[in-house]
Short mmCIF file of all heavy atoms in Angstrom, two decimals:
data_model
loop_
_atom_site.label_atom_id
_atom_site.label_comp_id
_atom_site.label_asym_id
_atom_site.label_seq_id
_atom_site.Cartn_x
_atom_site.Cartn_y
_atom_site.Cartn_z
N MET R 1 -47.58 48.87 -55.87
CA MET R 1 -47.23 48.06 -54.72
C MET R 1 -48.35 48.19 -53.69
O MET R 1 -48.70 49.28 -53.28
CB MET R 1 -45.90 48.55 -54.14
CG MET R 1 -45.50 47.84 -52.89
SD MET R 1 -43.95 48.38 -52.17
CE MET R 1 -42.79 47.82 -53.37
N ASP R 2 -48.86 47.05 -53.27
CA ASP R 2 -49.92 47.10 -52.26
C ASP R 2 -49.32 46.97 -50.86
O ASP R 2 -48.11 46.82 -50.69
CB ASP R 2 -50.98 46.03 -52.52
CG ASP R 2 -50.42 44.62 -52.41
OD1 ASP R 2 -49.20 44.46 -52.42
OD2 ASP R 2 -51.24 43.68 -52.30
N VAL R 3 -50.16 47.03 -49.88
CA VAL R 3 -49.72 47.05 -48.48
C VAL R 3 -49.00 45.76 -48.10
O VAL R 3 -47.98 45.78 -47.40
CB VAL R 3 -50.92 47.31 -47.55
CG1 VAL R 3 -50.53 47.21 -46.10
CG2 VAL R 3 -51.54 48.66 -47.84
N ALA R 4 -49.50 44.62 -48.55
CA ALA R 4 -48.88 43.34 -48.19
C ALA R 4 -47.46 43.23 -48.74
O ALA R 4 -46.56 42.75 -48.05
CB ALA R 4 -49.74 42.19 -48.71
N GLU R 5 -47.24 43.66 -49.97
CA GLU R 5 -45.89 43.63 -50.55
C GLU R 5 -44.96 44.57 -49.79
O GLU R 5 -43.81 44.23 -49.53
CB GLU R 5 -45.94 44.04 -52.01
CG GLU R 5 -46.56 43.03 -52.93
CD GLU R 5 -46.61 43.54 -54.37
OE1 GLU R 5 -45.66 44.22 -54.78
OE2 GLU R 5 -47.61 43.25 -55.04
N PHE R 6 -45.45 45.75 -49.45
CA PHE R 6 -44.64 46.71 -48.70
C PHE R 6 -44.25 46.15 -47.34
O PHE R 6 -43.10 46.25 -46.92
CB PHE R 6 -45.42 48.02 -48.54
CG PHE R 6 -44.66 49.07 -47.80
CD1 PHE R 6 -43.60 49.73 -48.41
CD2 PHE R 6 -45.00 49.40 -46.50
CE1 PHE R 6 -42.90 50.71 -47.73
CE2 PHE R 6 -44.30 50.37 -45.81
CZ PHE R 6 -43.24 51.03 -46.43
N GLU R 7 -45.20 45.52 -46.65
CA GLU R 7 -44.91 44.92 -45.35
C GLU R 7 -43.89 43.80 -45.48
O GLU R 7 -42.99 43.67 -44.65
CB GLU R 7 -46.19 44.38 -44.72
CG GLU R 7 -47.12 45.45 -44.21
CD GLU R 7 -48.41 44.88 -43.66
OE1 GLU R 7 -48.64 43.65 -43.77
OE2 GLU R 7 -49.20 45.66 -43.11
N THR R 8 -44.01 42.99 -46.52
CA THR R 8 -43.09 41.89 -46.74
C THR R 8 -41.67 42.40 -47.00
O THR R 8 -40.70 41.81 -46.54
CB THR R 8 -43.55 41.03 -47.94
OG1 THR R 8 -44.88 40.56 -47.67
CG2 THR R 8 -42.64 39.84 -48.14
N LEU R 9 -41.55 43.49 -47.72
CA LEU R 9 -40.23 44.05 -48.02
C LEU R 9 -39.62 44.78 -46.82
O LEU R 9 -38.41 44.71 -46.58
CB LEU R 9 -40.31 45.00 -49.21
CG LEU R 9 -40.60 44.37 -50.56
CD1 LEU R 9 -40.82 45.44 -51.60
CD2 LEU R 9 -39.47 43.46 -50.97
N MET R 10 -40.43 45.49 -46.08
CA MET R 10 -39.91 46.35 -45.02
C MET R 10 -39.65 45.63 -43.70
O MET R 10 -38.85 46.10 -42.90
CB MET R 10 -40.85 47.53 -44.78
CG MET R 10 -40.87 48.53 -45.92
SD MET R 10 -39.24 49.08 -46.44
CE MET R 10 -38.70 49.98 -45.01
N MET R 11 -40.30 44.50 -43.47
CA MET R 11 -40.12 43.81 -42.20
C MET R 11 -38.66 43.44 -41.93
O MET R 11 -38.13 43.76 -40.86
CB MET R 11 -41.00 42.56 -42.13
CG MET R 11 -40.92 41.84 -40.81
SD MET R 11 -41.51 42.83 -39.43
CE MET R 11 -43.25 42.71 -39.67
N PRO R 12 -37.93 42.80 -42.86
CA PRO R 12 -36.52 42.49 -42.57
C PRO R 12 -35.66 43.74 -42.39
O PRO R 12 -34.76 43.75 -41.56
CB PRO R 12 -36.06 41.70 -43.80
CG PRO R 12 -37.28 41.28 -44.50
CD PRO R 12 -38.35 42.23 -44.13
N VAL R 13 -35.96 44.79 -43.14
CA VAL R 13 -35.18 46.03 -43.03
C VAL R 13 -35.38 46.66 -41.66
O VAL R 13 -34.41 47.04 -40.99
CB VAL R 13 -35.59 47.02 -44.15
CG1 VAL R 13 -34.93 48.37 -43.94
CG2 VAL R 13 -35.25 46.44 -45.51
N LEU R 14 -36.62 46.74 -41.22
CA LEU R 14 -36.90 47.37 -39.94
C LEU R 14 -36.42 46.51 -38.77
O LEU R 14 -35.92 47.05 -37.78
CB LEU R 14 -38.39 47.67 -39.82
CG LEU R 14 -38.90 48.71 -40.82
CD1 LEU R 14 -40.41 48.88 -40.70
CD2 LEU R 14 -38.21 50.03 -40.63
N ILE R 15 -36.54 45.20 -38.87
CA ILE R 15 -36.03 44.31 -37.82
C ILE R 15 -34.51 44.43 -37.75
O ILE R 15 -33.93 44.49 -36.66
CB ILE R 15 -36.46 42.86 -38.06
CG1 ILE R 15 -37.97 42.71 -37.93
CG2 ILE R 15 -35.74 41.91 -37.11
CD1 ILE R 15 -38.51 42.92 -36.54
N GLY R 16 -33.83 44.50 -38.90
CA GLY R 16 -32.39 44.69 -38.92
C GLY R 16 -31.98 46.00 -38.28
O GLY R 16 -31.01 46.07 -37.52
N GLY R 17 -32.72 47.07 -38.57
CA GLY R 17 -32.44 48.36 -37.96
C GLY R 17 -32.64 48.31 -36.45
O GLY R 17 -31.86 48.88 -35.69
N LEU R 18 -33.67 47.60 -36.01
CA LEU R 18 -33.92 47.47 -34.58
C LEU R 18 -32.79 46.70 -33.89
O LEU R 18 -32.34 47.07 -32.80
CB LEU R 18 -35.25 46.76 -34.34
CG LEU R 18 -35.67 46.55 -32.89
CD1 LEU R 18 -35.85 47.90 -32.19
CD2 LEU R 18 -36.94 45.74 -32.83
N VAL R 19 -32.30 45.65 -34.54
CA VAL R 19 -31.19 44.86 -33.98
C VAL R 19 -29.94 45.73 -33.89
O VAL R 19 -29.22 45.69 -32.88
CB VAL R 19 -30.95 43.59 -34.82
CG1 VAL R 19 -29.64 42.93 -34.44
CG2 VAL R 19 -32.11 42.63 -34.65
N LEU R 20 -29.66 46.51 -34.91
CA LEU R 20 -28.50 47.39 -34.86
C LEU R 20 -28.64 48.44 -33.76
O LEU R 20 -27.67 48.75 -33.05
CB LEU R 20 -28.29 48.08 -36.21
CG LEU R 20 -27.79 47.18 -37.34
CD1 LEU R 20 -27.76 47.95 -38.65
CD2 LEU R 20 -26.43 46.63 -37.01
N PHE R 21 -29.83 48.98 -33.59
CA PHE R 21 -30.07 49.94 -32.53
C PHE R 21 -29.89 49.30 -31.15
O PHE R 21 -29.30 49.89 -30.25
CB PHE R 21 -31.47 50.55 -32.67
CG PHE R 21 -31.77 51.62 -31.66
CD1 PHE R 21 -30.98 52.76 -31.58
CD2 PHE R 21 -32.82 51.49 -30.79
CE1 PHE R 21 -31.24 53.75 -30.65
CE2 PHE R 21 -33.10 52.47 -29.85
CZ PHE R 21 -32.31 53.60 -29.78
N MET R 22 -30.37 48.06 -30.99
CA MET R 22 -30.19 47.36 -29.72
C MET R 22 -28.71 47.07 -29.48
O MET R 22 -28.25 47.14 -28.33
CB MET R 22 -30.99 46.06 -29.71
CG MET R 22 -32.47 46.29 -29.56
SD MET R 22 -33.44 44.80 -29.25
CE MET R 22 -33.01 43.76 -30.61
N ALA R 23 -27.95 46.76 -30.53
CA ALA R 23 -26.51 46.54 -30.37
C ALA R 23 -25.83 47.82 -29.90
O ALA R 23 -24.95 47.78 -29.03
CB ALA R 23 -25.90 46.06 -31.69
N PHE R 24 -26.24 48.96 -30.44
CA PHE R 24 -25.69 50.23 -29.98
C PHE R 24 -26.03 50.47 -28.51
O PHE R 24 -25.18 50.93 -27.73
CB PHE R 24 -26.22 51.38 -30.84
CG PHE R 24 -25.92 52.73 -30.26
CD1 PHE R 24 -24.62 53.23 -30.31
CD2 PHE R 24 -26.91 53.48 -29.67
CE1 PHE R 24 -24.33 54.48 -29.76
CE2 PHE R 24 -26.64 54.72 -29.12
CZ PHE R 24 -25.33 55.22 -29.16
N ILE R 25 -27.26 50.17 -28.11
CA ILE R 25 -27.67 50.36 -26.73
C ILE R 25 -26.85 49.46 -25.80
O ILE R 25 -26.39 49.90 -24.74
CB ILE R 25 -29.18 50.09 -26.57
CG1 ILE R 25 -29.98 51.18 -27.27
CG2 ILE R 25 -29.58 49.98 -25.11
CD1 ILE R 25 -31.46 50.90 -27.35
N VAL R 26 -26.65 48.20 -26.19
CA VAL R 26 -25.86 47.28 -25.37
C VAL R 26 -24.43 47.76 -25.27
O VAL R 26 -23.82 47.72 -24.20
CB VAL R 26 -25.95 45.85 -25.94
CG1 VAL R 26 -24.94 44.93 -25.28
CG2 VAL R 26 -27.35 45.30 -25.77
N TYR R 27 -23.86 48.22 -26.39
CA TYR R 27 -22.49 48.75 -26.36
C TYR R 27 -22.38 49.95 -25.43
O TYR R 27 -21.47 50.04 -24.62
CB TYR R 27 -22.06 49.14 -27.78
CG TYR R 27 -20.76 49.91 -27.80
CD1 TYR R 27 -19.55 49.27 -27.59
CD2 TYR R 27 -20.76 51.29 -28.00
CE1 TYR R 27 -18.36 49.98 -27.58
CE2 TYR R 27 -19.58 52.00 -28.00
CZ TYR R 27 -18.38 51.35 -27.80
OH TYR R 27 -17.21 52.06 -27.78
N ASP R 28 -23.34 50.86 -25.52
CA ASP R 28 -23.33 52.04 -24.68
C ASP R 28 -23.50 51.66 -23.20
O ASP R 28 -22.83 52.22 -22.33
CB ASP R 28 -24.44 53.00 -25.12
CG ASP R 28 -24.33 54.36 -24.47
OD1 ASP R 28 -23.22 54.93 -24.49
OD2 ASP R 28 -25.36 54.84 -23.94
N LEU R 29 -24.37 50.69 -22.93
CA LEU R 29 -24.56 50.22 -21.56
C LEU R 29 -23.27 49.61 -21.01
O LEU R 29 -22.88 49.88 -19.88
CB LEU R 29 -25.69 49.19 -21.53
CG LEU R 29 -25.94 48.48 -20.20
CD1 LEU R 29 -26.48 49.48 -19.19
CD2 LEU R 29 -26.91 47.33 -20.40
N ALA R 30 -22.60 48.79 -21.82
CA ALA R 30 -21.35 48.17 -21.38
C ALA R 30 -20.27 49.22 -21.14
O ALA R 30 -19.50 49.13 -20.19
CB ALA R 30 -20.89 47.15 -22.41
N LYS R 31 -20.24 50.23 -21.99
CA LYS R 31 -19.23 51.29 -21.86
C LYS R 31 -19.48 52.13 -20.61
O LYS R 31 -18.54 52.39 -19.85
CB LYS R 31 -19.26 52.15 -23.12
CG LYS R 31 -18.20 53.21 -23.19
CD LYS R 31 -18.28 53.91 -24.54
CE LYS R 31 -17.86 55.34 -24.42
NZ LYS R 31 -18.06 56.09 -25.63
N LYS R 32 -20.72 52.52 -20.39
CA LYS R 32 -21.04 53.39 -19.25
C LYS R 32 -20.94 52.66 -17.91
O LYS R 32 -20.67 53.28 -16.89
CB LYS R 32 -22.43 53.98 -19.41
CG LYS R 32 -22.49 55.06 -20.46
CD LYS R 32 -23.86 55.69 -20.53
CE LYS R 32 -23.88 56.78 -21.58
NZ LYS R 32 -25.22 57.38 -21.72
N SER R 33 -21.15 51.34 -17.91
CA SER R 33 -21.11 50.60 -16.65
C SER R 33 -19.74 49.98 -16.39
O SER R 33 -19.57 49.27 -15.40
CB SER R 33 -22.17 49.49 -16.66
OG SER R 33 -21.85 48.52 -17.63
N ASN R 34 -18.77 50.26 -17.27
CA ASN R 34 -17.42 49.70 -17.13
C ASN R 34 -17.48 48.18 -16.99
O ASN R 34 -16.88 47.60 -16.08
CB ASN R 34 -16.68 50.33 -15.95
CG ASN R 34 -16.44 51.80 -16.15
OD1 ASN R 34 -16.17 52.25 -17.26
ND2 ASN R 34 -16.57 52.57 -15.09
N ALA R 35 -18.18 47.54 -17.89
CA ALA R 35 -18.40 46.09 -17.81
C ALA R 35 -17.13 45.30 -18.09
O ALA R 35 -17.03 44.15 -17.69
CB ALA R 35 -19.50 45.68 -18.79
N GLY R 36 -16.19 45.87 -18.77
CA GLY R 36 -14.98 45.13 -19.12
C GLY R 36 -15.21 44.22 -20.31
O GLY R 36 -16.31 44.17 -20.89
N LYS R 37 -14.18 43.48 -20.68
CA LYS R 37 -14.29 42.62 -21.86
C LYS R 37 -15.27 41.47 -21.63
O LYS R 37 -16.09 41.17 -22.49
CB LYS R 37 -12.93 42.05 -22.23
CG LYS R 37 -11.99 43.08 -22.80
CD LYS R 37 -10.67 42.45 -23.19
CE LYS R 37 -9.72 43.50 -23.72
NZ LYS R 37 -8.44 42.92 -24.11
N TRP R 38 -15.18 40.83 -20.47
CA TRP R 38 -16.06 39.70 -20.20
C TRP R 38 -17.52 40.15 -20.10
O TRP R 38 -18.41 39.51 -20.65
CB TRP R 38 -15.63 38.99 -18.92
CG TRP R 38 -16.54 37.88 -18.54
CD1 TRP R 38 -17.36 37.85 -17.46
CD2 TRP R 38 -16.77 36.66 -19.26
NE1 TRP R 38 -18.09 36.68 -17.45
CE2 TRP R 38 -17.74 35.93 -18.54
CE3 TRP R 38 -16.26 36.13 -20.43
CZ2 TRP R 38 -18.19 34.69 -18.96
CZ3 TRP R 38 -16.72 34.89 -20.84
CH2 TRP R 38 -17.67 34.19 -20.12
N GLY R 39 -17.80 41.23 -19.40
CA GLY R 39 -19.16 41.72 -19.27
C GLY R 39 -19.76 42.13 -20.60
O GLY R 39 -20.92 41.86 -20.90
N THR R 40 -18.93 42.77 -21.43
CA THR R 40 -19.39 43.16 -22.77
C THR R 40 -19.70 41.93 -23.60
O THR R 40 -20.70 41.87 -24.32
CB THR R 40 -18.34 44.04 -23.46
OG1 THR R 40 -18.07 45.17 -22.62
CG2 THR R 40 -18.82 44.52 -24.81
N PHE R 41 -18.84 40.91 -23.49
CA PHE R 41 -19.06 39.66 -24.21
C PHE R 41 -20.37 39.01 -23.77
O PHE R 41 -21.14 38.54 -24.62
CB PHE R 41 -17.89 38.70 -23.97
CG PHE R 41 -18.09 37.34 -24.55
CD1 PHE R 41 -17.96 37.12 -25.92
CD2 PHE R 41 -18.42 36.27 -23.73
CE1 PHE R 41 -18.16 35.87 -26.45
CE2 PHE R 41 -18.62 35.01 -24.26
CZ PHE R 41 -18.48 34.80 -25.63
N VAL R 42 -20.64 39.00 -22.48
CA VAL R 42 -21.87 38.39 -21.97
C VAL R 42 -23.09 39.18 -22.46
O VAL R 42 -24.09 38.58 -22.88
CB VAL R 42 -21.84 38.32 -20.43
CG1 VAL R 42 -23.20 37.95 -19.87
CG2 VAL R 42 -20.79 37.32 -19.97
N LEU R 43 -23.01 40.50 -22.41
CA LEU R 43 -24.14 41.31 -22.88
C LEU R 43 -24.43 41.07 -24.36
O LEU R 43 -25.58 40.88 -24.76
CB LEU R 43 -23.87 42.79 -22.63
CG LEU R 43 -23.93 43.26 -21.18
CD1 LEU R 43 -23.41 44.68 -21.06
CD2 LEU R 43 -25.34 43.16 -20.66
N PHE R 44 -23.38 41.09 -25.18
CA PHE R 44 -23.58 40.86 -26.60
C PHE R 44 -23.96 39.40 -26.88
O PHE R 44 -24.68 39.12 -27.85
CB PHE R 44 -22.34 41.26 -27.41
CG PHE R 44 -22.33 42.71 -27.75
CD1 PHE R 44 -21.50 43.59 -27.08
CD2 PHE R 44 -23.15 43.21 -28.75
CE1 PHE R 44 -21.49 44.94 -27.39
CE2 PHE R 44 -23.15 44.56 -29.07
CZ PHE R 44 -22.31 45.41 -28.38
N GLY R 45 -23.50 38.49 -26.05
CA GLY R 45 -23.90 37.08 -26.20
C GLY R 45 -25.40 36.91 -25.99
O GLY R 45 -26.06 36.18 -26.74
N ALA R 46 -25.94 37.57 -24.98
CA ALA R 46 -27.38 37.49 -24.73
C ALA R 46 -28.16 38.10 -25.89
O ALA R 46 -29.17 37.54 -26.34
CB ALA R 46 -27.71 38.19 -23.42
N LEU R 47 -27.69 39.26 -26.39
CA LEU R 47 -28.36 39.88 -27.54
C LEU R 47 -28.25 38.96 -28.76
O LEU R 47 -29.22 38.77 -29.50
CB LEU R 47 -27.75 41.24 -27.85
CG LEU R 47 -28.29 41.95 -29.09
CD1 LEU R 47 -29.76 42.30 -28.89
CD2 LEU R 47 -27.48 43.20 -29.38
N GLY R 48 -27.09 38.38 -28.95
CA GLY R 48 -26.88 37.48 -30.09
C GLY R 48 -27.77 36.26 -30.03
O GLY R 48 -28.29 35.80 -31.05
N LEU R 49 -27.97 35.70 -28.83
CA LEU R 49 -28.86 34.54 -28.71
C LEU R 49 -30.30 34.92 -29.05
O LEU R 49 -31.02 34.14 -29.67
CB LEU R 49 -28.79 33.96 -27.30
CG LEU R 49 -27.54 33.15 -26.98
CD1 LEU R 49 -27.55 32.74 -25.51
CD2 LEU R 49 -27.44 31.94 -27.88
N GLY R 50 -30.71 36.11 -28.64
CA GLY R 50 -32.06 36.56 -28.99
C GLY R 50 -32.24 36.73 -30.49
O GLY R 50 -33.25 36.32 -31.06
N VAL R 51 -31.23 37.31 -31.13
CA VAL R 51 -31.29 37.49 -32.59
C VAL R 51 -31.25 36.13 -33.28
O VAL R 51 -31.98 35.89 -34.25
CB VAL R 51 -30.13 38.40 -33.06
CG1 VAL R 51 -30.04 38.43 -34.57
CG2 VAL R 51 -30.30 39.79 -32.50
N LEU R 52 -30.40 35.23 -32.79
CA LEU R 52 -30.31 33.89 -33.38
C LEU R 52 -31.65 33.16 -33.25
O LEU R 52 -32.09 32.49 -34.19
CB LEU R 52 -29.21 33.09 -32.69
CG LEU R 52 -28.96 31.70 -33.22
CD1 LEU R 52 -28.48 31.75 -34.67
CD2 LEU R 52 -27.95 30.98 -32.35
N GLY R 53 -32.31 33.30 -32.12
CA GLY R 53 -33.63 32.69 -31.95
C GLY R 53 -34.64 33.24 -32.94
O GLY R 53 -35.44 32.49 -33.50
N PHE R 54 -34.60 34.55 -33.17
CA PHE R 54 -35.51 35.15 -34.14
C PHE R 54 -35.23 34.63 -35.55
O PHE R 54 -36.16 34.29 -36.30
CB PHE R 54 -35.38 36.67 -34.12
CG PHE R 54 -36.25 37.37 -35.11
CD1 PHE R 54 -37.60 37.52 -34.88
CD2 PHE R 54 -35.73 37.85 -36.30
CE1 PHE R 54 -38.42 38.15 -35.80
CE2 PHE R 54 -36.53 38.48 -37.23
CZ PHE R 54 -37.88 38.62 -36.98
N VAL R 55 -33.97 34.51 -35.92
CA VAL R 55 -33.60 34.02 -37.25
C VAL R 55 -34.01 32.56 -37.41
O VAL R 55 -34.58 32.17 -38.44
CB VAL R 55 -32.09 34.20 -37.50
CG1 VAL R 55 -31.65 33.48 -38.75
CG2 VAL R 55 -31.75 35.68 -37.58
N ILE R 56 -33.76 31.75 -36.39
CA ILE R 56 -34.14 30.33 -36.47
C ILE R 56 -35.66 30.20 -36.58
O ILE R 56 -36.16 29.38 -37.37
CB ILE R 56 -33.60 29.58 -35.25
CG1 ILE R 56 -32.08 29.43 -35.37
CG2 ILE R 56 -34.25 28.20 -35.12
CD1 ILE R 56 -31.41 28.84 -34.14
N LYS R 57 -36.40 30.98 -35.82
CA LYS R 57 -37.86 30.95 -35.91
C LYS R 57 -38.34 31.30 -37.31
O LYS R 57 -39.21 30.64 -37.87
CB LYS R 57 -38.50 31.89 -34.89
CG LYS R 57 -40.02 31.91 -34.96
CD LYS R 57 -40.58 33.09 -34.22
CE LYS R 57 -40.37 34.37 -34.93
NZ LYS R 57 -41.45 34.83 -35.79
N THR R 58 -37.74 32.33 -37.89
CA THR R 58 -38.11 32.74 -39.23
C THR R 58 -37.82 31.64 -40.24
O THR R 58 -38.64 31.34 -41.12
CB THR R 58 -37.35 34.03 -39.61
OG1 THR R 58 -37.63 35.03 -38.64
CG2 THR R 58 -37.77 34.52 -40.99
N LEU R 59 -36.66 31.02 -40.14
CA LEU R 59 -36.30 29.93 -41.06
C LEU R 59 -37.23 28.73 -40.90
O LEU R 59 -37.66 28.14 -41.89
CB LEU R 59 -34.85 29.50 -40.85
CG LEU R 59 -33.79 30.53 -41.26
CD1 LEU R 59 -32.41 30.02 -40.87
CD2 LEU R 59 -33.86 30.82 -42.74
N VAL R 60 -37.56 28.37 -39.66
CA VAL R 60 -38.45 27.22 -39.44
C VAL R 60 -39.82 27.51 -40.01
O VAL R 60 -40.44 26.65 -40.65
CB VAL R 60 -38.52 26.90 -37.93
CG1 VAL R 60 -39.66 25.93 -37.62
CG2 VAL R 60 -37.19 26.32 -37.46
N VAL R 61 -40.34 28.71 -39.81
CA VAL R 61 -41.66 29.05 -40.34
C VAL R 61 -41.65 29.00 -41.87
O VAL R 61 -42.58 28.50 -42.48
CB VAL R 61 -42.09 30.44 -39.83
CG1 VAL R 61 -43.29 30.96 -40.59
CG2 VAL R 61 -42.40 30.39 -38.35
N GLU R 62 -40.57 29.49 -42.49
CA GLU R 62 -40.48 29.47 -43.95
C GLU R 62 -40.41 28.03 -44.49
O GLU R 62 -40.98 27.72 -45.53
CB GLU R 62 -39.27 30.27 -44.45
CG GLU R 62 -39.43 31.76 -44.27
CD GLU R 62 -40.58 32.32 -45.08
OE1 GLU R 62 -40.78 31.90 -46.23
OE2 GLU R 62 -41.27 33.21 -44.53
N VAL R 63 -39.69 27.16 -43.78
CA VAL R 63 -39.56 25.78 -44.23
C VAL R 63 -40.89 25.02 -44.07
O VAL R 63 -41.29 24.27 -44.94
CB VAL R 63 -38.43 25.06 -43.45
CG1 VAL R 63 -38.47 23.56 -43.69
CG2 VAL R 63 -37.08 25.62 -43.85
N ILE R 64 -41.57 25.27 -42.96
CA ILE R 64 -42.83 24.57 -42.70
C ILE R 64 -43.92 25.04 -43.67
O ILE R 64 -44.70 24.26 -44.19
CB ILE R 64 -43.28 24.77 -41.25
CG1 ILE R 64 -42.35 23.99 -40.33
CG2 ILE R 64 -44.71 24.31 -41.04
CD1 ILE R 64 -42.61 24.19 -38.86
N LEU R 65 -43.98 26.34 -43.91
CA LEU R 65 -45.01 26.86 -44.80
C LEU R 65 -44.50 26.79 -46.20
O LEU R 65 -45.05 26.79 -47.17
CB LEU R 65 -45.37 28.30 -44.43
CG LEU R 65 -45.98 28.47 -43.04
CD1 LEU R 65 -46.22 29.95 -42.75
CD2 LEU R 65 -47.27 27.72 -42.92
#
């Protein structure tokens, strides 16, 4: 396995791990700040939109190339 294959395989795994870690951080932030249900929903909504944008970008690049 060369470096390019390793990078191709590990990128989705590491990005997924980063997203899960960010979800934990957002959950912890909402819990410590007593954000309530609505505040927690807004925080996770913003994180979800960022993740959705990353996924859409990846799909568009794959379709174009």
Side-chain angles (χ1 to χ4, degrees):
M1 176 180 292
D2 63 345
V3 175
E5 289 178 37
F6 181 73
E7 288 177 353
T8 303
L9 291 173
M10 290 309 294
M11 184 63 76
V13 173
L14 295 176
I15 294 293
L18 180 62
V19 168
L20 289 175
F21 184 59
M22 287 190 304
F24 168 74
I25 291 172
V26 169
Y27 170 75
D28 191 49
L29 174 68
K31 185 175 149 187
K32 286 183 179 178
S33 66
N34 296 323
K37 289 182 182 180
W38 176 248
T40 304
F41 174 76
V42 169
L43 288 170
F44 275 105
L47 176 65
L49 285 175
V51 171
L52 182 64
F54 178 77
V55 170
I56 288 173
K57 179 195 73 94
T58 303
L59 292 174
V60 167
V61 167
E62 289 298 319
V63 168
I64 289 175
L65 297 177

